[in-house]
Amino acid sequence: MRRKKSGASPKQLSLEEWENLCKRCGLCCFEKWVEEDGTIRPTDIPCRFLDIVTRECKVYHKRFEVDEGCVKLTPDVVETVQWLPPDCAYVKRIHGHR
């Protein structure tokens, strides 16, 4: 099923439209190592709630309650964090509307 593309800016999208941008790569759910100079290095260690086969969160509906390290990826957050991969659909959408 193809997703409908919206010309709206990321902040104008509904929650459902925003979440539908996600391609379910799961890369945001892997631990990151921050070097002393601020360089962020991804690791091969997934969040304990990430199903590494399906790339889906096993506790998605309550992920913020059970994992204090889980970050809600809103447009404002995606604009400011530096640890999301450049091919992340959220990052691409944010950069495409600047």
Side-chain angles (χ1 to χ4, degrees):
M1 182 171 122
R2 296 188 87 186
R3 292 186 176 131
K4 181 182 170 186
K5 292 188 179 189
S6 170
S9 75
K11 292 180 184 181
Q12 293 172 322
L13 297 175
S14 69
L15 178 60
E16 181 180 5
E17 290 172 319
W18 174 253
E19 288 195 0
N20 282 338
L21 293 175
C22 181
K23 304 293 185 213
R24 309 293 187 260
C25 69
L27 293 176
C28 59
C29 299
F30 282 78
E31 298 291 325
K32 283 84 176 158
W33 180 261
V34 182
E35 301 285 343
E36 287 183 19
D37 66 359
T39 302
I40 299 169
R41 307 249 184 244
T43 72
D44 293 333
I45 304 167
C47 168
R48 66 181 180 220
F49 300 113
L50 179 67
D51 180 320
I52 59 171
V53 175
T54 65
R55 299 295 185 157
E56 292 182 358
C57 178
K58 299 174 193 173
V59 294
Y60 189 80
H61 64 284
K62 60 180 181 178
R63 65 196 183 279
F64 305 119
E65 298 164 26
V66 299
D67 185 357
E68 69 278 351
C70 189
V71 176
K72 185 171 186 166
L73 296 176
T74 65
D76 289 332
V77 169
V78 173
E79 277 183 328
T80 60
V81 298
Q82 298 176 11
W83 47 263
L84 288 170
D87 57 344
C88 169
Y90 293 136
V91 172
K92 286 182 174 181
R93 185 62 181 261
I94 291 292
H95 289 292
H97 278 83
R98 282 197 175 160

